[in-house]
Amino acid sequence: MSAQRQEAVRRVTVPQITARKGGEPIVSLTAYTAPMAEILDDHCDVLLVGDSVGMVVHGLPNTVGVTLEMMIMHGQAVMRGARKALVVVDMPFGSYEAGPQQAFENAARVLKETGAQAVKVEAGPTIAETIDYLVKRGIPVMGHVGLRPQAVNVDGAFRAKGRTEAERDRVLAEAEASADAGAFSIVIEGVAEDLAREITAAVHVPTIGIGASAGCDGQILVTEDMLGMFDWTPKFVRRYADLRGDIGRSVGRWADDVRARRFPAEAETYFSKKAVEG
Ligand code: KIV
């Protein structure tokens, strides 16, 4: 375990991310813990405390069961690890859909209790009103269109969006409405390249894609996916490591050493002064 770092905190700001529209690609990953945030912070502009934490860390089947308390606890952990990146916390299912007032109360709690700079909400037909209400009251909002994991029970499964004309029009309209309402950037998840490019051209704020092609202003992935923590990864993920294999092999070697009484050896053992001198 490492002690907390002492360097000065100077974070990327919300206006700096908005100013990246059409410029240098925005680099973003999910983070849920302090040590991972500390590692990712050197490489990322934005760290998202995604509600994917429910599936990645807590073993839930989807994100619907994630609570505000879980998001706040993981947000606090990430804020202890990150020093530079903009930290955005996902509003979980049930914490903002009832209306702008509910969204404000819960989003204000997230910012106050974590110190994060912004929240993310998944789009829906009424999201523009909520985004407008939050932004006007000092809460920066990242939008999220396309595949909306929190709508899994309506959709029946996680599936790419924008395959029919009607669905394309709806996703594009939600992105435009989110941007016009004041979202400082928009995550586009699980849509075909042509739709991602159309949205990116249509909105004045940066788009950050996940499974949405190179046609976005930035990219985000679930960190554990790109590090190979799971047996299966979606088509849009490129694996840069095999953590699952590395952990399994390492733990296997340690277990063999314990069973063969090779661990701990002298180097890993404390001795009393008496035993050392005598
Ligand atoms: O929760 C999450 O990790 C997300 C990303 C997939 C963008 O929303």
Side-chain angles (χ1 to χ4, degrees), residues 161-209:
K161 288 284 162 164
R163 287 165 189 255
T164 63
E165 263 319 297
E167 208 173 70
R168 282 180 67 94
D169 292 349
R170 189 177 50 69
V171 174
L172 177 61
E174 285 178 358
E176 287 177 322
S178 298
D180 292 346
F184 71 92
S185 62
I186 296 176
V187 166
I188 308 179
E189 179 166 358
V191 307
E193 180 180 23
D194 55 344
L195 178 56
R197 289 193 186 279
E198 196 178 341
I199 294 171
T200 300
V203 299
H204 65 280
V205 296
T207 57
I208 303 179

Side-chain angles (χ1 to χ4, degrees), residues 30 32 48 50-52 90 120 144 187 189 210 220 222:
T30 58
Y32 319 117
L48 172 68
D51 60 353
S52 51
D90 249 339
K120 176 164 81 57
H144 182 148
V187 166
E189 179 166 358
I210 174 162
I220 182 164
V222 170

